[in-house]
Amino acid sequence: MDKYNSKTSFQKWLSSINLDELSEKSRNNIENFDHYSKKLDFQAIMKVLLYAVYEELASFREIDRAFLDKRLCKEVGIDSISYSSISRRTAEMDQEVLMEIFTDLVGKIAKQKPSSKTTSMQIIDSTTIPLNKTWFPWAKFRKTKAGIKLHLNLCYLDKDNQYPENFTITNASEHDRNHFEVFVDKAEATYVVDRGYFDYQLLDKMDRDGYFFVTRIKKNTKVTVLEQFEVDSPKMTDGQIISDQHVILGGGVNHVTERLRLVTVLTKGQKLLRIVTNRFDATPNQVADMYQSRWHIELFFKHLKQNVVIKKLYSQSEQGAINQVILTLIATLLTYLVKIELNTKATLFLLKKTFHYLMFDPAEDWLGQFKPDD
C-alpha cells in the first residue's frame, strides 16, 4: 500500500470525489458559488461539512471550535472559520451539485460491485427525522412537531455489502407508497419492501412491467390458492417453511390479476410471515431469506442516526437541512468505497471509528488496520 503514503487518511477518504468530473452545469454552479467567497469555496465547505457529520459535531459553533486543531486547518486549506460563515454557506450550496456527487459515487461503486438479478436486491424503506416545530416551521408534520422523511433505496449485495443507491427527502407526513415507484428502475433486481407498501395494483403493475418483488401481505388479505408446491427443505436457520403456494390475492374489484407465489414462514420467535413474490425461480428458503434481509435497511438507518449527524440538523433553513442529509449519505459512500477497495468484511462503523483516530496520519496507518480477506 505504498501508494497511500503521500496522502493522509482524510485525503484518501475524500479522494473519490473529483469536482472536475462533474457536468458542465455543476461546474458552472460551483464557479458561481466560489465567486462570492474565495476563502470558503465549495470544496472547502464540502470538506468542512463532511468532516462535521462524520465526526458527529453537534453544531456550527462546534465546527468553528474544531478549527483550533491546526491539522484540520491544513487539510481544509483555511486557518480559521466563523460559525456564521459556515451556516450561510451551507444553505447556499447547490443541492443539484451534491446530488450529482452522490450519483457519481454510486456509479463508481457499481463498476466495482456489479449487480444482477441473482446477486442484488433493492431494499426500500423510510425513516423519519423529528424536528422542533418552532425552529423548522417549513417541515410541516403534526400540530406539535415538525419532521422530514428520508425515503431510501439500499442496494443489498450480500450480508457484508450494502450501500445507499438512491433516495428522496420529503416532509414527514408524506406516505411511503407515493415514493416507491421512484426507485423501481432495474429489471434485473428484486425489490424488497415491508407490508406498508403492499398494494394490489402496485404488485400487479410491477409483475406486468417485468420487475421482481418480495413483500409481506396484510393479515386481512384474501388468498385464493391455485396450487400447492412441495417443500423439500422446510427447516431454516431462522425458522421453518410452512407452505409454498401458487395464489391469486384479493377478490372482487380489489384483486391481483397476475398469479403470484406465497411462501409462509414460522420464525424462531413463532411469528408467522406470509411472503408474496413473483420470483418462481428461487427456493422457498431463498424467498424467506430475501425478505428477512430487509432488516439491513433498519440497521443502516440506525447507523445514520447513531454514528453520523443526521438527527440533529445544523441549519434551520430547508436548503441547509437537506444539504446536510445528502452530505451524510455521501460520507457513507466514501467509506464504503474504501471498504470495497480493501476487500474487507469490516463494517462501516469499524472503518469510521478507526478513521477517527487516524484521519490526519498517513493513509497507510488507517488502511493497514484492515488486511484484505483471503
Side-chain angles (χ1 to χ4, degrees):
M1 294 188 183
D2 293 339
K3 61 181 179 179
Y4 300 131
N5 286 340
S6 60
K7 293 181 178 179
T8 63
S9 300
F10 189 74
Q11 291 166 351
K12 172 58 185 173
W13 183 61
L14 291 170
S15 63
S16 294
I17 298 177
N18 186 342
L19 300 182
D20 292 334
E21 294 178 350
L22 300 180
S23 66
E24 183 178 356
K25 180 181 178 181
S26 288
R27 294 197 307 272
N28 288 338
N29 288 341
I30 291 173
E31 184 177 344
N32 292 334
F33 181 91
D34 293 348
H35 177 74
Y36 295 99
S37 178
K38 300 303 181 183
K39 177 179 179 180
L40 200 55
D41 61 16
F42 186 91
Q43 185 155 276
I45 189 62
M46 180 183 65
K47 289 180 180 180
V48 169
L49 293 171
L50 286 171
Y51 169 85
V53 298
Y54 217 54
E55 283 297 283
E56 303 174 55
L57 303 187
S59 65
F60 285 135
R61 289 182 182 273
E62 190 171 343
I63 298 172
D64 182 347
R65 288 191 289 271
F67 278 83
L68 293 172
D69 189 335
K70 296 306 177 186
R71 296 174 302 174
L72 178 61
C73 295
K74 182 178 179 181
E75 292 291 347
V76 177
I78 54 179
D79 295 329
S80 63
I81 195 171
S82 69
Y83 69 87
S84 60
S85 296
I86 307 172
S87 175
R88 185 181 69 257
R89 298 298 272 171
T90 299
E92 292 172 348
M93 294 183 80
D94 191 305
Q95 181 181 328
E96 290 186 11
V97 175
L98 294 178
M99 284 299 301
E100 186 174 341
I101 292 171
F102 174 89
T103 302
D104 181 65
L105 294 176
V106 168
K108 289 178 179 178
I109 292 171
K111 287 180 180 179
Q112 297 186 58
K113 288 281 187 180
S115 61
S116 68
K117 173 185 171 184
T118 57
T119 63
S120 78
M121 291 178 286
Q122 306 295 317
I123 307 175
I124 298 171
D125 206 346
S126 70
T127 188
T128 297
I129 303 170
L131 301 171
N132 184 295
K133 186 177 181 181
T134 302
W135 296 344
F136 300 90
W138 50 267
K140 296 179 181 179
F141 184 22
R142 295 175 181 162
K143 287 184 177 180
T144 58
K145 64 174 65 175
I148 59 175
K149 184 179 283 188
L150 173 64
H151 306 261
L152 186 76
N153 176 17
L154 187 76
C155 182
Y156 177 96
L157 299 175
D158 56 51
K159 65 183 180 64
D160 297 313
N161 290 280
Q162 313 97 38
Y163 63 92
E165 188 172 88
N166 199 359
F167 67 93
T168 59
I169 302 169
T170 67
N171 282 0
S173 57
E174 187 77 16
H175 196 281
D176 294 345
R177 170 67 181 82
N178 297 338
H179 287 261
F180 175 74
E181 290 174 77
V182 172
F183 302 124
V184 180
D185 59 1
K186 289 186 175 180
E188 77 278 8
T190 299
Y191 292 87
V192 183
V193 294
D194 201 3
R195 60 185 175 186
Y197 293 85
F198 181 81
D199 178 273
Y200 294 128
Q201 291 182 346
L202 173 64
L203 299 187
D204 201 19
K205 183 177 185 300
M206 287 185 69
D207 191 65
R208 288 198 310 268
D209 292 346
Y211 295 109
F212 298 99
F213 60 81
V214 175
T215 187
R216 282 172 66 191
I217 64 174
K218 296 180 179 179
K219 290 182 179 179
N220 61 351
T221 302
K222 182 178 179 180
V223 178
T224 301
V225 179
L226 303 175
E227 183 180 0
Q228 191 87 28
F229 300 126
E230 183 178 349
V231 179
D232 295 328
S233 303
K235 291 293 184 182
M236 301 171 55
T237 303
D238 298 324
Q240 180 179 356
I241 303 294
I242 301 300
S243 63
D244 183 9
Q245 301 167 320
H246 199 175
V247 302
I248 290 176
L249 303 179
V253 295
N254 296 316
H255 68 281
V256 173
T257 58
E258 305 300 332
R259 299 183 177 193
L260 302 175
R261 181 183 188 183
L262 184 68
V263 176
T264 303
V265 179
L266 182 65
T267 68
K268 278 190 173 182
Q270 299 301 297
K271 184 177 181 180
L272 204 64
L273 302 179
R274 296 196 297 167
I275 305 167
V276 65
T277 183
N278 58 349
R279 285 285 303 270
F280 285 89
D281 60 315
T283 67
N285 287 25
Q286 288 172 332
V287 171
D289 287 342
M290 286 179 204
Y291 180 76
Q292 296 197 55
S293 68
R294 200 195 67 81
W295 179 244
H296 284 273
I297 199 167
E298 302 292 346
L299 295 177
F300 183 78
F301 286 145
K302 183 178 179 181
H303 172 70
L304 288 183
K305 290 184 174 183
Q306 294 186 355
N307 302 321
V308 289
V309 181
I310 197 172
K311 285 177 68 176
K312 184 176 178 58
L313 300 179
Y314 301 139
S315 176
Q316 293 178 20
S317 76
E318 181 174 3
Q319 188 64 41
I322 291 174
N323 284 345
Q324 182 181 334
V325 175
I326 300 172
L327 284 159
T328 301
L329 294 170
I330 287 173
T332 302
L333 291 179
L334 291 173
T335 304
Y336 185 69
L337 278 161
V338 173
K339 172 183 167 69
I340 59 178
E341 182 178 333
L342 290 171
N343 191 28
T344 178
K345 292 183 179 180
T347 63
L348 295 180
F349 174 75
L350 182 56
L351 284 160
K352 174 185 179 295
K353 286 303 180 185
T354 309
F355 176 76
H356 167 76
Y357 294 104
L358 298 171
M359 74 171 71
F360 300 127
D361 294 326
E364 165 65 13
D365 293 352
W366 177 37
L367 305 177
Q369 302 295 317
F370 305 95
K371 301 298 182 183
D373 299 325
D374 296 328

